[in-house]
Amino acid sequence: MSAAVKTAGGGGPRHFLELMDLDSASLRHMLELGKKAKRGEISGKPLEGKTIAMIFELPSTRTRVSFQVGIRQMGGESLVLTAKEIQLNRGESVKDTARVLSRYVDAIMLRTADVSNIREMAAYATVPVINGLTNISHPCQLMADVMTFEEHRGPIAGQVVAWTGDGNNVAQSFIQAAARFGFTLRMATPELLRPPAELVAWARREGARIELTDDPVAAVSGARAVVTDCWISMSDEKTAATQNRHNLLLPYQVNAALMRHAAPDAIVMHCLPAHRGEEITDEVMDGPQSVVFDEAENRLHAQKGVLLWALGLA
C-alpha cells in the first residue's frame, strides 16, 4: 500500500507516485492534457527552462525514451542517470540524493526495484517526484493504457477489463486504476500469484468492482479489453526458477482460443517487453485486436500530461 507523502493537496510538490494517492479529477485532468498533447493542442514550449532528472536503477526502453523525447518536445532538458553513475550506488542515502537533486532540477523521475526508494525520495525532495516503475506499481503505464482504451473504445468507465497472468506491479496499478477510472476489473491469476489482498480491499472500499478468479476464461468472458504482462518481472528474476512460474502461468496465456471468449470487439494490451510464445502468442500480438504499439506510443503522450500537471504548468 502507498504511504501518502506530500502531494498536490498537501501543499508540497505535486508527486506522481501511485494512482491511489490522487483523486479521479486530477488523474482525468492529466489524461486530458496527454490527449491534447497528442493532438498538438499544447502550444509553445511549456517546459522551456525546466530540467528533469531521470534516475534508472533498472533497465528501460519505453520509459526512458518516452520521457526523454516528451521532455524535449515540450522544450525541456532531461538528465539521464543510471545507478552506476551516481553515488546511490556507493552508499549515499536516498534522502541526501533527493535533497541535492532538488537544488539542481525541477523534477525527478525514478525507476527502481524497491518502492521504499521512491517513497523516501518523495519525502525529502522539494520538487515533484514521478514514479517510473517500482516493484509494486507502474502508474505511468496505466495512464497510457486508459488513454489507449478510450481512443479505441470510448470512455472506460463502466467497461470490463480482464487481466490474465501474474498479479505483478502492472496488475496492481490496474487495481488502483479501476478505483479511480470506474471500470470493472476481472483478474485471472494463479492463487499463489494474486495481488495483495489489502490492495484489493482498498479498491473495493473506494467503490471499485474487482473480481478475482483462477479461471482465465471466466475473466475474459465478454471483456472489452484483455491485458497481460510478462510472467517474470525484473524484480522476480532471481527467484523465478524456484517458483516454477512458467508451468504455473501457462494456462493464462493470451492466445486465439482465449480471445474467442472476449467481446467480439475486444482489444488486447501488453505493456511490453513481450515474451512472445509465453504470456501472449504472435497470432494475437500481431493480430487485428492488438493495440500494443498504440499503447507504447501513448506512454509519450500520457507522460506529457503527468509532467505538465506535476510542474503546475497546466
mmCIF file of all heavy atoms in Angstrom, residues 220-264:
data_model
loop_
_atom_site.group_PDB
_atom_site.id
_atom_site.type_symbol
_atom_site.label_atom_id
_atom_site.label_comp_id
_atom_site.label_asym_id
_atom_site.label_seq_id
_atom_site.Cartn_x
_atom_site.Cartn_y
_atom_site.Cartn_z
ATOM 1 N N VAL A 220 -12.090 -13.374 -18.908
ATOM 2 C CA VAL A 220 -12.104 -12.766 -20.235
ATOM 3 C C VAL A 220 -13.505 -12.705 -20.836
ATOM 4 O O VAL A 220 -13.788 -11.863 -21.699
ATOM 5 C CB VAL A 220 -11.136 -13.554 -21.152
ATOM 6 C CG1 VAL A 220 -11.339 -13.221 -22.610
ATOM 7 C CG2 VAL A 220 -9.690 -13.290 -20.736
ATOM 8 N N SER A 221 -14.405 -13.519 -20.372
ATOM 9 C CA SER A 221 -15.730 -13.647 -20.978
ATOM 10 C C SER A 221 -16.432 -12.289 -21.101
ATOM 11 O O SER A 221 -16.742 -11.644 -20.108
ATOM 12 C CB SER A 221 -16.592 -14.592 -20.149
ATOM 13 O OG SER A 221 -17.870 -14.738 -20.731
ATOM 14 N N GLY A 222 -16.657 -11.858 -22.338
ATOM 15 C CA GLY A 222 -17.363 -10.612 -22.607
ATOM 16 C C GLY A 222 -16.566 -9.345 -22.366
ATOM 17 O O GLY A 222 -17.098 -8.239 -22.530
ATOM 18 N N ALA A 223 -15.302 -9.436 -21.987
ATOM 19 C CA ALA A 223 -14.494 -8.247 -21.674
ATOM 20 C C ALA A 223 -14.209 -7.436 -22.929
ATOM 21 O O ALA A 223 -14.018 -7.991 -24.013
ATOM 22 C CB ALA A 223 -13.192 -8.652 -21.006
ATOM 23 N N ARG A 224 -14.143 -6.110 -22.765
ATOM 24 C CA ARG A 224 -13.823 -5.224 -23.887
ATOM 25 C C ARG A 224 -12.319 -5.062 -24.078
ATOM 26 O O ARG A 224 -11.883 -4.575 -25.123
ATOM 27 C CB ARG A 224 -14.433 -3.833 -23.648
ATOM 28 C CG ARG A 224 -15.932 -3.780 -23.580
ATOM 29 C CD ARG A 224 -16.618 -4.081 -24.886
ATOM 30 N NE ARG A 224 -16.264 -3.233 -26.003
ATOM 31 C CZ ARG A 224 -16.683 -1.966 -26.170
ATOM 32 N NH1 ARG A 224 -17.426 -1.376 -25.260
ATOM 33 N NH2 ARG A 224 -16.354 -1.294 -27.254
ATOM 34 N N ALA A 225 -11.535 -5.409 -23.050
ATOM 35 C CA ALA A 225 -10.074 -5.356 -23.168
ATOM 36 C C ALA A 225 -9.497 -6.530 -22.405
ATOM 37 O O ALA A 225 -9.962 -6.875 -21.316
ATOM 38 C CB ALA A 225 -9.527 -4.052 -22.619
ATOM 39 N N VAL A 226 -8.482 -7.145 -22.986
ATOM 40 C CA VAL A 226 -7.751 -8.241 -22.356
ATOM 41 C C VAL A 226 -6.300 -7.790 -22.228
ATOM 42 O O VAL A 226 -5.680 -7.382 -23.214
ATOM 43 C CB VAL A 226 -7.846 -9.536 -23.177
ATOM 44 C CG1 VAL A 226 -7.024 -10.648 -22.525
ATOM 45 C CG2 VAL A 226 -9.306 -9.962 -23.321
ATOM 46 N N VAL A 227 -5.769 -7.877 -21.009
ATOM 47 C CA VAL A 227 -4.438 -7.339 -20.718
ATOM 48 C C VAL A 227 -3.581 -8.419 -20.076
ATOM 49 O O VAL A 227 -4.056 -9.202 -19.246
ATOM 50 C CB VAL A 227 -4.530 -6.139 -19.753
ATOM 51 C CG1 VAL A 227 -3.185 -5.417 -19.688
ATOM 52 C CG2 VAL A 227 -5.638 -5.180 -20.152
ATOM 53 N N THR A 228 -2.323 -8.437 -20.452
ATOM 54 C CA THR A 228 -1.375 -9.348 -19.816
ATOM 55 C C THR A 228 -0.013 -8.671 -19.731
ATOM 56 O O THR A 228 0.177 -7.555 -20.204
ATOM 57 C CB THR A 228 -1.289 -10.682 -20.581
ATOM 58 O OG1 THR A 228 -0.569 -11.645 -19.786
ATOM 59 C CG2 THR A 228 -0.593 -10.518 -21.933
ATOM 60 N N ASP A 229 0.928 -9.378 -19.119
ATOM 61 C CA ASP A 229 2.295 -8.877 -18.978
ATOM 62 C C ASP A 229 3.207 -10.089 -18.891
ATOM 63 O O ASP A 229 2.754 -11.228 -18.748
ATOM 64 C CB ASP A 229 2.403 -8.004 -17.718
ATOM 65 C CG ASP A 229 3.693 -7.181 -17.669
ATOM 66 O OD1 ASP A 229 4.461 -7.219 -18.652
ATOM 67 O OD2 ASP A 229 3.935 -6.531 -16.647
ATOM 68 N N CYS A 230 4.501 -9.845 -18.952
ATOM 69 C CA CYS A 230 5.458 -10.953 -18.895
ATOM 70 C C CYS A 230 5.304 -11.710 -17.575
ATOM 71 O O CYS A 230 4.903 -11.158 -16.557
ATOM 72 C CB CYS A 230 6.880 -10.451 -19.091
ATOM 73 S SG CYS A 230 7.400 -9.202 -17.913
ATOM 74 N N TRP A 231 5.652 -12.964 -17.606
ATOM 75 C CA TRP A 231 5.460 -13.830 -16.451
ATOM 76 C C TRP A 231 6.532 -13.656 -15.390
ATOM 77 O O TRP A 231 6.336 -13.989 -14.235
ATOM 78 C CB TRP A 231 5.428 -15.286 -16.917
ATOM 79 C CG TRP A 231 4.199 -15.636 -17.687
ATOM 80 C CD1 TRP A 231 3.033 -14.922 -17.737
ATOM 81 C CD2 TRP A 231 4.010 -16.774 -18.520
ATOM 82 N NE1 TRP A 231 2.126 -15.549 -18.547
ATOM 83 C CE2 TRP A 231 2.693 -16.699 -19.045
ATOM 84 C CE3 TRP A 231 4.812 -17.851 -18.882
ATOM 85 C CZ2 TRP A 231 2.164 -17.664 -19.908
ATOM 86 C CZ3 TRP A 231 4.296 -18.811 -19.739
ATOM 87 C CH2 TRP A 231 2.980 -18.724 -20.239
ATOM 88 N N ILE A 232 7.674 -13.137 -15.792
ATOM 89 C CA ILE A 232 8.768 -12.932 -14.836
ATOM 90 C C ILE A 232 9.179 -11.471 -14.895
ATOM 91 O O ILE A 232 9.789 -11.018 -15.857
ATOM 92 C CB ILE A 232 9.967 -13.847 -15.143
ATOM 93 C CG1 ILE A 232 9.539 -15.317 -15.125
ATOM 94 C CG2 ILE A 232 11.082 -13.601 -14.134
ATOM 95 C CD1 ILE A 232 10.631 -16.283 -15.519
ATOM 96 N N SER A 233 8.822 -10.706 -13.881
ATOM 97 C CA SER A 233 9.192 -9.305 -13.812
ATOM 98 C C SER A 233 10.667 -9.176 -13.457
ATOM 99 O O SER A 233 11.286 -10.119 -12.944
ATOM 100 C CB SER A 233 8.350 -8.589 -12.753
ATOM 101 O OG SER A 233 6.974 -8.677 -13.076
ATOM 102 N N MET A 234 11.223 -7.987 -13.698
ATOM 103 C CA MET A 234 12.643 -7.768 -13.400
ATOM 104 C C MET A 234 12.965 -8.050 -11.939
ATOM 105 O O MET A 234 14.007 -8.606 -11.613
ATOM 106 C CB MET A 234 13.033 -6.327 -13.758
ATOM 107 C CG MET A 234 13.224 -6.112 -15.231
ATOM 108 S SD MET A 234 13.742 -4.429 -15.631
ATOM 109 C CE MET A 234 12.191 -3.548 -15.458
ATOM 110 N N SER A 235 12.047 -7.695 -11.040
ATOM 111 C CA SER A 235 12.299 -7.899 -9.612
ATOM 112 C C SER A 235 12.162 -9.362 -9.191
ATOM 113 O O SER A 235 12.514 -9.735 -8.078
ATOM 114 C CB SER A 235 11.341 -7.040 -8.788
ATOM 115 O OG SER A 235 9.990 -7.350 -9.110
ATOM 116 N N ASP A 236 11.642 -10.209 -10.108
ATOM 117 C CA ASP A 236 11.437 -11.626 -9.787
ATOM 118 C C ASP A 236 12.477 -12.542 -10.406
ATOM 119 O O ASP A 236 12.450 -13.755 -10.190
ATOM 120 C CB ASP A 236 10.055 -12.095 -10.292
ATOM 121 C CG ASP A 236 8.923 -11.357 -9.635
ATOM 122 O OD1 ASP A 236 9.020 -11.093 -8.427
ATOM 123 O OD2 ASP A 236 7.939 -11.051 -10.328
ATOM 124 N N GLU A 237 13.390 -11.985 -11.185
ATOM 125 C CA GLU A 237 14.267 -12.822 -11.995
ATOM 126 C C GLU A 237 15.106 -13.781 -11.167
ATOM 127 O O GLU A 237 15.363 -14.905 -11.569
ATOM 128 C CB GLU A 237 15.168 -11.941 -12.859
ATOM 129 C CG GLU A 237 14.405 -11.282 -14.014
ATOM 130 C CD GLU A 237 15.240 -10.288 -14.789
ATOM 131 O OE1 GLU A 237 16.331 -9.921 -14.296
ATOM 132 O OE2 GLU A 237 14.816 -9.874 -15.876
ATOM 133 N N LYS A 238 15.514 -13.389 -9.979
ATOM 134 C CA LYS A 238 16.389 -14.240 -9.173
ATOM 135 C C LYS A 238 15.642 -15.395 -8.516
ATOM 136 O O LYS A 238 16.241 -16.407 -8.153
ATOM 137 C CB LYS A 238 17.088 -13.399 -8.111
ATOM 138 C CG LYS A 238 18.078 -12.394 -8.686
ATOM 139 C CD LYS A 238 18.771 -11.594 -7.595
ATOM 140 C CE LYS A 238 19.742 -10.588 -8.177
ATOM 141 N NZ LYS A 238 20.400 -9.775 -7.126
ATOM 142 N N THR A 239 14.336 -15.244 -8.330
ATOM 143 C CA THR A 239 13.575 -16.275 -7.623
ATOM 144 C C THR A 239 12.634 -17.048 -8.530
ATOM 145 O O THR A 239 12.005 -17.995 -8.099
ATOM 146 C CB THR A 239 12.750 -15.643 -6.491
ATOM 147 O OG1 THR A 239 11.845 -14.686 -7.062
ATOM 148 C CG2 THR A 239 13.639 -14.948 -5.477
ATOM 149 N N ALA A 240 12.541 -16.642 -9.792
ATOM 150 C CA ALA A 240 11.545 -17.234 -10.680
ATOM 151 C C ALA A 240 11.728 -18.732 -10.853
ATOM 152 O O ALA A 240 10.753 -19.482 -10.930
ATOM 153 C CB ALA A 240 11.586 -16.540 -12.044
ATOM 154 N N ALA A 241 12.973 -19.205 -10.906
ATOM 155 C CA ALA A 241 13.208 -20.624 -11.158
ATOM 156 C C ALA A 241 12.618 -21.491 -10.059
ATOM 157 O O ALA A 241 12.044 -22.553 -10.326
ATOM 158 C CB ALA A 241 14.705 -20.889 -11.295
ATOM 159 N N THR A 242 12.711 -21.044 -8.816
ATOM 160 C CA THR A 242 12.194 -21.846 -7.710
ATOM 161 C C THR A 242 10.675 -21.826 -7.663
ATOM 162 O O THR A 242 10.058 -22.719 -7.099
ATOM 163 C CB THR A 242 12.746 -21.331 -6.366
ATOM 164 O OG1 THR A 242 12.317 -19.977 -6.166
ATOM 165 C CG2 THR A 242 14.250 -21.376 -6.343
ATOM 166 N N GLN A 243 10.065 -20.827 -8.269
ATOM 167 C CA GLN A 243 8.603 -20.738 -8.238
ATOM 168 C C GLN A 243 7.942 -21.443 -9.408
ATOM 169 O O GLN A 243 6.708 -21.545 -9.453
ATOM 170 C CB GLN A 243 8.185 -19.266 -8.211
ATOM 171 C CG GLN A 243 8.643 -18.539 -6.960
ATOM 172 C CD GLN A 243 8.212 -17.081 -6.963
ATOM 173 O OE1 GLN A 243 7.119 -16.760 -7.407
ATOM 174 N NE2 GLN A 243 9.062 -16.204 -6.469
ATOM 175 N N ASN A 244 8.728 -21.922 -10.359
ATOM 176 C CA ASN A 244 8.196 -22.663 -11.492
ATOM 177 C C ASN A 244 7.086 -21.889 -12.185
ATOM 178 O O ASN A 244 6.031 -22.418 -12.517
ATOM 179 C CB ASN A 244 7.684 -24.038 -11.021
ATOM 180 C CG ASN A 244 7.530 -25.004 -12.168
ATOM 181 O OD1 ASN A 244 8.110 -24.819 -13.238
ATOM 182 N ND2 ASN A 244 6.734 -26.048 -11.969
ATOM 183 N N ARG A 245 7.325 -20.602 -12.410
ATOM 184 C CA ARG A 245 6.281 -19.722 -12.900
ATOM 185 C C ARG A 245 5.737 -20.102 -14.276
ATOM 186 O O ARG A 245 4.542 -19.941 -14.541
ATOM 187 C CB ARG A 245 6.786 -18.277 -12.946
ATOM 188 C CG ARG A 245 6.822 -17.621 -11.594
ATOM 189 C CD ARG A 245 7.380 -16.209 -11.706
ATOM 190 N NE ARG A 245 7.360 -15.584 -10.399
ATOM 191 C CZ ARG A 245 6.631 -14.519 -10.102
ATOM 192 N NH1 ARG A 245 5.857 -13.986 -11.012
ATOM 193 N NH2 ARG A 245 6.666 -14.000 -8.900
ATOM 194 N N HIS A 246 6.593 -20.558 -15.144
ATOM 195 C CA HIS A 246 6.123 -20.849 -16.492
ATOM 196 C C HIS A 246 5.043 -21.930 -16.493
ATOM 197 O O HIS A 246 4.015 -21.789 -17.155
ATOM 198 C CB HIS A 246 7.292 -21.252 -17.395
ATOM 199 C CG HIS A 246 8.160 -20.101 -17.797
ATOM 200 N ND1 HIS A 246 9.157 -19.617 -16.988
ATOM 201 C CD2 HIS A 246 8.154 -19.318 -18.909
ATOM 202 C CE1 HIS A 246 9.741 -18.598 -17.582
ATOM 203 N NE2 HIS A 246 9.158 -18.393 -18.740
ATOM 204 N N ASN A 247 5.269 -22.999 -15.747
ATOM 205 C CA ASN A 247 4.250 -24.046 -15.682
ATOM 206 C C ASN A 247 2.986 -23.547 -15.006
ATOM 207 O O ASN A 247 1.864 -23.887 -15.399
ATOM 208 C CB ASN A 247 4.795 -25.261 -14.925
ATOM 209 C CG ASN A 247 5.861 -25.990 -15.716
ATOM 210 O OD1 ASN A 247 5.934 -25.884 -16.927
ATOM 211 N ND2 ASN A 247 6.708 -26.739 -15.015
ATOM 212 N N LEU A 248 3.161 -22.706 -13.994
ATOM 213 C CA LEU A 248 2.022 -22.187 -13.250
ATOM 214 C C LEU A 248 1.168 -21.264 -14.111
ATOM 215 O O LEU A 248 -0.065 -21.247 -14.003
ATOM 216 C CB LEU A 248 2.542 -21.435 -12.021
ATOM 217 C CG LEU A 248 1.586 -21.141 -10.872
ATOM 218 C CD1 LEU A 248 1.041 -22.421 -10.272
ATOM 219 C CD2 LEU A 248 2.326 -20.337 -9.800
ATOM 220 N N LEU A 249 1.815 -20.505 -14.993
ATOM 221 C CA LEU A 249 1.121 -19.466 -15.744
ATOM 222 C C LEU A 249 0.720 -19.866 -17.165
ATOM 223 O O LEU A 249 -0.009 -19.129 -17.826
ATOM 224 C CB LEU A 249 1.986 -18.208 -15.797
ATOM 225 C CG LEU A 249 2.049 -17.435 -14.481
ATOM 226 C CD1 LEU A 249 3.244 -16.481 -14.467
ATOM 227 C CD2 LEU A 249 0.765 -16.669 -14.239
ATOM 228 N N LEU A 250 1.167 -21.027 -17.619
ATOM 229 C CA LEU A 250 0.852 -21.442 -18.988
ATOM 230 C C LEU A 250 -0.645 -21.398 -19.305
ATOM 231 O O LEU A 250 -1.037 -20.950 -20.393
ATOM 232 C CB LEU A 250 1.425 -22.833 -19.268
ATOM 233 C CG LEU A 250 1.265 -23.343 -20.709
ATOM 234 C CD1 LEU A 250 1.934 -22.381 -21.691
ATOM 235 C CD2 LEU A 250 1.853 -24.744 -20.838
ATOM 236 N N PRO A 251 -1.539 -21.807 -18.392
ATOM 237 C CA PRO A 251 -2.971 -21.741 -18.712
ATOM 238 C C PRO A 251 -3.502 -20.318 -18.889
ATOM 239 O O PRO A 251 -4.635 -20.141 -19.356
ATOM 240 C CB PRO A 251 -3.634 -22.415 -17.508
ATOM 241 C CG PRO A 251 -2.563 -23.250 -16.880
ATOM 242 C CD PRO A 251 -1.304 -22.501 -17.106
ATOM 243 N N TYR A 252 -2.703 -19.307 -18.522
ATOM 244 C CA TYR A 252 -3.159 -17.920 -18.576
ATOM 245 C C TYR A 252 -2.668 -17.190 -19.825
ATOM 246 O O TYR A 252 -2.846 -15.985 -19.955
ATOM 247 C CB TYR A 252 -2.700 -17.180 -17.311
ATOM 248 C CG TYR A 252 -3.297 -17.788 -16.066
ATOM 249 C CD1 TYR A 252 -2.706 -18.881 -15.440
ATOM 250 C CD2 TYR A 252 -4.483 -17.296 -15.539
ATOM 251 C CE1 TYR A 252 -3.271 -19.467 -14.323
ATOM 252 C CE2 TYR A 252 -5.064 -17.863 -14.415
ATOM 253 C CZ TYR A 252 -4.455 -18.950 -13.813
ATOM 254 O OH TYR A 252 -5.024 -19.535 -12.710
ATOM 255 N N GLN A 253 -2.072 -17.928 -20.743
ATOM 256 C CA GLN A 253 -1.574 -17.326 -21.976
ATOM 257 C C GLN A 253 -2.715 -16.684 -22.767
ATOM 258 O O GLN A 253 -3.810 -17.244 -22.894
ATOM 259 C CB GLN A 253 -0.902 -18.387 -22.840
ATOM 260 C CG GLN A 253 -0.304 -17.866 -24.132
ATOM 261 C CD GLN A 253 0.196 -18.993 -25.016
ATOM 262 O OE1 GLN A 253 -0.603 -19.729 -25.609
ATOM 263 N NE2 GLN A 253 1.521 -19.145 -25.086
ATOM 264 N N VAL A 254 -2.454 -15.500 -23.314
ATOM 265 C CA VAL A 254 -3.423 -14.849 -24.193
ATOM 266 C C VAL A 254 -3.182 -15.368 -25.607
ATOM 267 O O VAL A 254 -2.181 -15.041 -26.246
ATOM 268 C CB VAL A 254 -3.290 -13.313 -24.135
ATOM 269 C CG1 VAL A 254 -4.273 -12.662 -25.106
ATOM 270 C CG2 VAL A 254 -3.541 -12.818 -22.715
ATOM 271 N N ASN A 255 -4.091 -16.184 -26.053
ATOM 272 C CA ASN A 255 -3.996 -16.799 -27.373
ATOM 273 C C ASN A 255 -5.352 -16.708 -28.069
ATOM 274 O O ASN A 255 -6.324 -16.180 -27.512
ATOM 275 C CB ASN A 255 -3.512 -18.253 -27.271
ATOM 276 C CG ASN A 255 -4.340 -19.061 -26.275
ATOM 277 O OD1 ASN A 255 -5.558 -18.894 -26.194
ATOM 278 N ND2 ASN A 255 -3.674 -19.917 -25.512
ATOM 279 N N ALA A 256 -5.415 -17.185 -29.292
ATOM 280 C CA ALA A 256 -6.646 -17.069 -30.066
ATOM 281 C C ALA A 256 -7.810 -17.782 -29.395
ATOM 282 O O ALA A 256 -8.947 -17.297 -29.421
ATOM 283 C CB ALA A 256 -6.422 -17.616 -31.476
ATOM 284 N N ALA A 257 -7.550 -18.932 -28.788
ATOM 285 C CA ALA A 257 -8.625 -19.678 -28.122
ATOM 286 C C ALA A 257 -9.209 -18.881 -26.967
ATOM 287 O O ALA A 257 -10.436 -18.837 -26.780
ATOM 288 C CB ALA A 257 -8.086 -21.022 -27.637
ATOM 289 N N LEU A 258 -8.349 -18.238 -26.179
ATOM 290 C CA LEU A 258 -8.851 -17.438 -25.063
ATOM 291 C C LEU A 258 -9.603 -16.216 -25.574
ATOM 292 O O LEU A 258 -10.668 -15.859 -25.029
ATOM 293 C CB LEU A 258 -7.687 -16.997 -24.174
ATOM 294 C CG LEU A 258 -8.073 -16.215 -22.911
ATOM 295 C CD1 LEU A 258 -8.901 -17.071 -21.969
ATOM 296 C CD2 LEU A 258 -6.828 -15.689 -22.194
ATOM 297 N N MET A 259 -9.119 -15.575 -26.617
ATOM 298 C CA MET A 259 -9.747 -14.359 -27.122
ATOM 299 C C MET A 259 -11.136 -14.619 -27.690
ATOM 300 O O MET A 259 -11.959 -13.692 -27.762
ATOM 301 C CB MET A 259 -8.856 -13.701 -28.180
ATOM 302 C CG MET A 259 -7.606 -13.044 -27.625
ATOM 303 S SD MET A 259 -7.953 -11.806 -26.341
ATOM 304 C CE MET A 259 -8.989 -10.646 -27.242
ATOM 305 N N ARG A 260 -11.446 -15.834 -28.051
ATOM 306 C CA ARG A 260 -12.783 -16.133 -28.553
ATOM 307 C C ARG A 260 -13.850 -15.942 -27.472
ATOM 308 O O ARG A 260 -15.038 -15.824 -27.781
ATOM 309 C CB ARG A 260 -12.833 -17.551 -29.122
ATOM 310 C CG ARG A 260 -12.217 -17.660 -30.516
ATOM 311 C CD ARG A 260 -12.588 -18.950 -31.211
ATOM 312 N NE ARG A 260 -11.857 -20.089 -30.665
ATOM 313 C CZ ARG A 260 -10.678 -20.505 -31.120
ATOM 314 N NH1 ARG A 260 -10.065 -19.849 -32.102
ATOM 315 N NH2 ARG A 260 -10.089 -21.563 -30.589
ATOM 316 N N HIS A 261 -13.432 -15.912 -26.221
ATOM 317 C CA HIS A 261 -14.388 -15.721 -25.123
ATOM 318 C C HIS A 261 -14.603 -14.248 -24.792
ATOM 319 O O HIS A 261 -15.546 -13.910 -24.066
ATOM 320 C CB HIS A 261 -13.898 -16.455 -23.879
ATOM 321 C CG HIS A 261 -13.811 -17.943 -24.060
ATOM 322 N ND1 HIS A 261 -14.910 -18.771 -23.950
ATOM 323 C CD2 HIS A 261 -12.755 -18.744 -24.371
ATOM 324 C CE1 HIS A 261 -14.543 -20.019 -24.164
ATOM 325 N NE2 HIS A 261 -13.238 -20.031 -24.428
ATOM 326 N N ALA A 262 -13.748 -13.367 -25.293
ATOM 327 C CA ALA A 262 -13.878 -11.936 -25.033
ATOM 328 C C ALA A 262 -14.967 -11.351 -25.929
ATOM 329 O O ALA A 262 -15.510 -12.017 -26.818
ATOM 330 C CB ALA A 262 -12.544 -11.237 -25.284
ATOM 331 N N ALA A 263 -15.311 -10.103 -25.699
ATOM 332 C CA ALA A 263 -16.259 -9.422 -26.580
ATOM 333 C C ALA A 263 -15.708 -9.409 -28.002
ATOM 334 O O ALA A 263 -14.485 -9.371 -28.199
ATOM 335 C CB ALA A 263 -16.482 -7.993 -26.087
ATOM 336 N N PRO A 264 -16.585 -9.465 -29.009
ATOM 337 C CA PRO A 264 -16.098 -9.504 -30.395
ATOM 338 C C PRO A 264 -15.180 -8.334 -30.753
ATOM 339 O O PRO A 264 -14.299 -8.480 -31.598
ATOM 340 C CB PRO A 264 -17.397 -9.469 -31.214
ATOM 341 C CG PRO A 264 -18.442 -10.018 -30.305
ATOM 342 C CD PRO A 264 -18.053 -9.574 -28.925
#
